[in-house]
Amino acid sequence: MIRKLRRFAKVVNKPYKDEFYHYPGTIPGTIIIDADAPPPEIDLIDYNQIDFTHQRVATPEECVPYLDTESVTWVDVQGLGNQEILERLGQVFELPPLVLEDVVNVSERPKTEDYDDQLLFIARMVVPKERESGFYSEQVSLVLGKHYLLSIQEEPEHDCFEGVRMRIEKAKGTIRRQGADYLAYALLDAIIDGFFPVLERYGEELEDLEEEVIVSPTRQTLQKIYHVRRELLQLRRAIWPQRDAINSLIRDRSQLISPEVQIYLRDCYDHAVQVMDMVETYRELASGLMDVYLSAVGNKMNEVMKLLTVVSSIFIPLTFVAGIYGMNFNTEKSPYNMPELNWYWGYPLCLGAMGAIAFALLFLFWKRGWLENSSMIERD
């Protein structure tokens, strides 16, 4: 049964990573582990204003002594490839079955849930790719307790928490003097700010596409625009519910979040709104580029048809003259049977007349502006 659930989960996750649902009839709380998921790596950071500890632990049970202290404990789990360890992790942190299901079975819609002594926040983190366009996207789940924070990521290769780790290690700012709720805010703020480098790349890519659409649009240009539109749609589907989840944290006050941290969460909410505005703006630009591309292709076709029409218009009278002189005439029967055939300069005069007609038509077309390229758009 579990194998069937895994295969079904991989099928439904294929089009979009944020589409997930169980096989009909699945027991609530069922954990589905992707066969390709990396094994969990557990990092433990324990700190207060004076002391700091950072270590890699092999089992979830090694975190238990740190959970009963007054210091802040951050347990960062990276990887979801071992169901036994994840279930033991749920026992150590006393996670309800539905909470463990939400944090393990990716991808869940970003949301927040309050369980009195624990606060669950599910977010989507994006990290730009280094050597190619696009981004990595993964689910991050935060479980906030009174003196601890549990974060669960899909894989250990990409995250945007390194700045927070450095601030804790070097005691920069006020993070070492704050509680676990401030740490949760710092991670949420890092997740939201991680959208800006991704959007900055798309802004540059849209500028290049705009110039390409205007100067030399091709089928590859259309494919690039379509690809950007799909990725911007994924960003929109990630940031929109995330903004609502942060707003829920601000609106529904939890006893685990202090009033001071509530103020910081408002700033985080403002950043989420800013990200959403940028995503919507870039999506409108991409849609506009699609329209510009179609207009440019249509104008290019019109220019081709105009050129063919001009050439045809020039050759119509020339063909008429050549057709007349290609007829058979006999001047002995009648003087009206093309007497010019016997002229000494008849051939050069005929060519000269045809050339004069062609240049006269070209001059007329130029005078009326029909020879200008109307598909070119000047950039500011």
Side-chain angles (χ1 to χ4, degrees):
M1 182 64 180
I2 295 299
R3 291 182 178 178
K4 292 182 179 179
L5 293 177
R6 290 174 180 172
R7 288 198 298 268
F8 186 80
K10 292 183 71 175
V11 170
V12 299
N13 281 336
K14 187 176 181 180
Y16 287 100
K17 286 290 289 181
D18 50 348
E19 293 290 345
F20 176 85
Y21 52 89
H22 287 302
Y23 190 83
T26 304
I27 301 175
T30 301
I31 298 177
I32 300 176
I33 304 297
D34 193 343
D36 300 329
E41 298 178 2
I42 305 176
D43 280 342
L44 185 145
I45 297 178
D46 187 85
Y47 65 89
N48 54 30
Q49 192 170 352
I50 301 175
D51 299 324
F52 168 79
T53 301
H54 183 193
Q55 59 180 318
R56 175 69 57 85
V57 297
T59 62
E61 289 75 15
E62 297 180 35
C63 304
V64 174
Y66 297 91
L67 301 181
D68 297 331
T69 61
E70 295 294 326
S71 60
V72 177
T73 303
W74 175 18
V75 179
D76 186 23
V77 181
Q78 304 174 10
L80 303 173
N82 190 313
Q83 182 173 347
E84 179 185 356
I85 291 182
L86 294 174
E87 291 177 346
R88 289 160 58 187
L89 188 72
Q91 295 175 358
V92 168
F93 286 89
E94 299 180 353
L95 301 179
L98 293 179
V99 173
L100 187 61
E101 175 189 355
D102 288 341
V103 301
V104 173
N105 298 339
V106 295
S107 292
E108 192 76 25
R109 178 183 171 88
K111 64 177 182 178
T112 178
E113 293 184 1
D114 195 346
Y115 292 88
D116 294 334
D117 57 341
Q118 288 180 335
L119 184 64
L120 170 66
F121 191 95
I122 296 179
R124 180 144 294 275
M125 178 172 59
V126 296
V127 179
K129 295 182 179 179
E130 296 180 358
R131 299 182 179 179
E132 55 182 324
S133 62
F135 56 89
Y136 300 102
S137 176
E138 65 171 299
Q139 175 179 301
V140 179
S141 303
L142 304 178
V143 179
L144 174 64
K146 185 175 182 181
H147 297 294
Y148 66 85
L149 178 69
L150 171 65
S151 62
I152 302 177
Q153 307 180 46
E154 291 185 39
E155 45 85 18
E157 295 183 7
H158 311 96
D159 73 4
C160 53
F161 297 153
E162 191 60 32
V164 178
R165 297 187 184 98
M166 294 299 296
R167 285 163 55 190
I168 296 175
E169 181 179 355
K170 299 184 180 301
K172 292 184 178 180
T174 62
I175 191 168
R176 292 272 289 269
R177 299 193 297 271
Q178 302 287 345
D181 54 347
Y182 185 88
L183 175 60
Y185 149 74
L187 297 185
L188 284 177
D189 188 60
I191 292 174
I192 298 299
D193 290 345
F195 281 81
F196 287 104
V198 176
L199 290 173
E200 183 178 356
R201 286 193 178 184
Y202 282 112
E204 297 174 355
E205 188 171 354
L206 286 173
E207 289 182 2
D208 296 337
L209 285 174
E210 182 180 9
E211 184 173 357
E212 185 175 340
V213 165
I214 294 175
V215 177
S216 57
T218 61
R219 292 183 61 88
Q220 287 72 22
T221 305
L222 181 62
Q223 293 176 358
K224 292 178 184 177
I225 296 174
Y226 179 72
H227 185 69
V228 169
R229 287 185 62 185
R230 283 181 61 90
E231 291 187 343
L232 288 174
L233 177 61
Q234 288 183 278
L235 287 176
R236 182 183 184 275
R237 298 176 71 181
I239 192 60
W240 190 282
Q242 207 146 281
R243 180 205 61 166
D244 296 338
I246 296 175
N247 186 37
S248 177
L249 281 180
I250 300 173
R251 183 182 64 251
D252 304 331
R253 297 181 178 274
S254 172
Q255 61 180 0
L256 296 174
I257 300 179
S258 64
E260 181 182 1
V261 175
Q262 288 280 350
I263 299 176
Y264 289 110
L265 287 175
R266 294 176 189 172
D267 180 70
C268 188
Y269 175 79
D270 292 339
H271 290 178
V273 173
Q274 184 179 355
V275 169
M276 193 176 65
D277 290 341
M278 293 177 65
V279 171
E280 291 296 326
T281 301
Y282 288 160
R283 289 186 67 229
E284 292 180 2
L285 286 175
S287 299
L289 285 180
M290 186 74 74
D291 296 336
V292 172
Y293 170 82
L294 296 176
S295 299
V297 171
N299 289 335
K300 189 175 181 180
M301 181 62 68
N302 291 337
E303 289 299 318
V304 173
M305 296 303 297
K306 184 174 69 174
L307 177 61
L308 295 177
T309 303
V310 169
V311 173
S312 300
S313 301
I314 293 174
F315 276 90
I316 285 175
L318 304 185
T319 305
F320 173 74
V321 174
I324 292 179
Y325 275 87
M327 298 170 65
N328 295 322
F329 296 98
N330 186 1
T331 56
E332 295 179 357
K333 293 294 184 180
S334 171
Y336 298 106
N337 280 346
M338 196 66 70
E340 295 83 2
L341 292 175
N342 297 322
W343 288 2
Y344 183 81
W345 297 102
Y347 182 65
L349 288 176
C350 181
L351 292 180
M354 294 171 68
I357 294 174
F359 281 110
L361 289 175
L362 283 174
F363 178 77
L364 178 63
F365 296 155
W366 172 77
K367 197 69 177 176
R368 297 200 173 194
W370 293 353
L371 300 181
E372 296 179 359
N373 188 355
S374 58
S375 65
M376 295 300 295
I377 303 176
E378 295 183 358
R379 292 178 59 87
D380 297 334

